[in-house]
């Protein structure tokens, strides 16, 4: 895929958001060996409705490859911007997540980390997978189970599917982010949800998840917004 390491300049299908990510305080986390990698992809139409974006694209974009433990594990690890496009946001991803992923020998350099993120993004090919399952951006609504079951059937594992949740007067939630998980050997594995969705009623969901991205409700229609 790449001729030589010295000649490589990685180009990422990234959704670049410069507010939330780059304004976060940089506080080093204790280093704990991670056990899971989370490949996170975002749907631009939804995400750019919440944050200012620099890209206008019509495909799922790669947000990052995140270990399940640790953030900002090594503030002294130099970021080599000459190898990477989208330098500003990539520097942040490397500092926050890459320095923790680098506890594994297979990811212990900037080149290895970003190459693996791109490799996994291309391997799962979320855009094609959803199209093959006839889940496409449109004005129609899907059920959460439509999307989750299609992904489980295709990948053989449970993803984490996240939405922008509706206000009290809205009838749908907007599909915004999908996480697909791997173990330390880059084998697909189930992602974990942070709460039991079946314990929440519609009223409780509106009260607690009125804005931002979190796990989609199984009981609310899902809107997969078209880009045009």
């Amino acid at each position: 895929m790449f001729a030589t390491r010295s000649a490589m300049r990685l180009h990422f299908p990234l959704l670049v958001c410069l507010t939330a990510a780059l304004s976060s305080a940089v506080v080093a986390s204790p280093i704990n060996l991670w056990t899971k990698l989370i490949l996170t992809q975002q749907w631009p139409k939804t995400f750019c409705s919440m944050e200012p974006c620099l890209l206008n694209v019509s495909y799922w974009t790669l947000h990052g490859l995140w270990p399940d433990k640790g953030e900002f594990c090594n503030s002294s690890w130099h970021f080599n911007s000459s190898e990477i496009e989208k330098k500003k946001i990539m520097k942040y991803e490397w500092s926050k997540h890459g320095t923790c992923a680098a506890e594994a020998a297979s990811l212990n350099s900037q080149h290895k980390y970003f190459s693996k993120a791109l490799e996994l993004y291309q391997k799962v090919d979320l855009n094609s997978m959803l199209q093959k399952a006839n889940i496409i951006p449109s004005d129609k609504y899907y059920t959460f189970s439509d999307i989750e079951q299609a992904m489980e059937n295709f990948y053989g594992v449970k993803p984490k599917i996240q939405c922008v949740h509706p206000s009290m007067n809205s009838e749908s939630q907007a599909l915004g982010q999908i996480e697909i998980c791997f173990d330390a050997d880059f084998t697909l594995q189930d992602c974990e949800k942070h709460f039991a969705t079946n314990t929440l009623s519609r009223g409780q969901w509106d009260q607690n998840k009125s804005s931002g991205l979190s796990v989609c409700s199984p009981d609310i229609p899902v809107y997969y917004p078209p880009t045009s």
Side-chain angles (χ1 to χ4, degrees), residues 112-130:
K112 291 180 182 178
Y113 172 69
F114 287 113
S115 293
K116 181 57 69 173
L118 184 57
E119 176 190 325
L120 295 177
Y121 170 84
Q122 294 171 335
K123 177 181 178 180
V124 301
D125 196 3
L126 180 59
N127 294 283
S128 294
M129 178 263 131
L130 291 173

Side-chain angles (χ1 to χ4, degrees), residues 25-37:
V26 178
V27 179
S29 299
I31 296 179
N32 297 305
L33 187 62
W34 51 267
T35 59
K36 181 184 297 184
L37 287 169

Side-chain angles (χ1 to χ4, degrees), residues 4 15-16 31 34 39 42 53 77 82 94 106 108 136 153 172 182-183 185 223 227-228:
T4 65
L15 178 64
V16 182
I31 296 179
W34 51 267
L39 185 74
Q42 293 174 328
C53 300
W77 200 325
S82 66
W94 170 250
S106 56
N108 66 358
I136 58 176
N153 290 344
S172 67
F182 299 83
D183 64 19
D185 293 322
Y223 178 47
T227 57
S228 58

Side-chain angles (χ1 to χ4, degrees), residues 14 25 57 61 100 106 123 136 161 187 196-197 202 208 223 226:
L14 283 165
V57 296
T61 59
C100 301
S106 56
K123 177 181 178 180
I136 58 176
I161 303 170
T187 300
T197 54
R202 172 60 185 261
N208 293 297
Y223 178 47

Side-chain angles (χ1 to χ4, degrees), residues 16-215:
V16 182
C17 165
L18 297 178
T19 52
L22 296 177
S23 63
S24 301
V26 178
V27 179
S29 299
I31 296 179
N32 297 305
L33 187 62
W34 51 267
T35 59
K36 181 184 297 184
L37 287 169
I38 304 167
L39 185 74
T40 305
Q41 300 180 64
Q42 293 174 328
W43 182 242
K45 183 68 173 181
T46 300
F47 195 78
C48 292
S49 69
M50 302 186 298
E51 305 285 357
C53 300
L54 299 183
L55 297 179
N56 181 21
V57 296
S58 58
Y59 52 83
W60 284 85
T61 59
L62 175 60
H63 189 170
L65 182 64
W66 305 338
D68 62 345
K69 296 180 182 177
E71 293 181 354
F72 301 106
C73 293
N74 187 346
S75 60
S76 65
W77 200 325
H78 174 65
F79 177 79
N80 184 358
S81 62
S82 66
E83 291 187 348
I84 307 293
E85 294 294 329
K86 310 297 183 188
K87 297 180 178 63
K88 191 173 183 180
I89 195 71
M90 288 295 90
K91 181 177 181 180
Y92 178 84
E93 286 292 313
W94 170 250
S95 298
K96 184 175 182 180
H97 302 294
T99 55
C100 301
E103 295 170 13
S106 56
L107 300 171
N108 66 358
S109 72
Q110 179 182 311
H111 174 271
K112 291 180 182 178
Y113 172 69
F114 287 113
S115 293
K116 181 57 69 173
L118 184 57
E119 176 190 325
L120 295 177
Y121 170 84
Q122 294 171 335
K123 177 181 178 180
V124 301
D125 196 3
L126 180 59
N127 294 283
S128 294
M129 178 263 131
L130 291 173
Q131 289 175 4
K132 289 176 182 177
N134 202 31
I135 298 172
I136 58 176
S138 69
D139 291 328
K140 66 172 285 188
Y141 293 154
Y142 297 92
T143 65
F144 174 73
S145 61
D146 286 338
I147 301 171
E148 184 176 55
Q149 193 61 55
M151 294 192 68
E152 288 184 25
N153 290 344
F154 188 84
Y155 295 118
V157 295
K158 291 182 179 294
K160 182 194 283 186
I161 303 170
Q162 296 172 292
C163 293
V164 175
H165 295 281
S167 65
M168 291 295 291
N169 297 322
S170 177
E171 62 180 357
S172 67
Q173 55 191 337
L175 183 62
Q177 183 165 284
I178 293 178
E179 297 179 2
I180 299 174
C181 298
F182 299 83
D183 64 19
D185 293 322
F186 310 114
T187 300
L188 285 164
Q189 69 172 146
D190 290 342
C191 293
E192 296 177 1
K193 296 181 174 64
H194 292 304
F195 59 90
T197 54
N198 59 6
T199 64
L200 293 179
S201 68
R202 172 60 185 261
Q204 288 173 319
W205 194 277
D206 287 337
Q207 181 179 358
N208 293 297
K209 304 291 177 183
S210 59
S211 63
L213 284 164
S214 54
V215 176

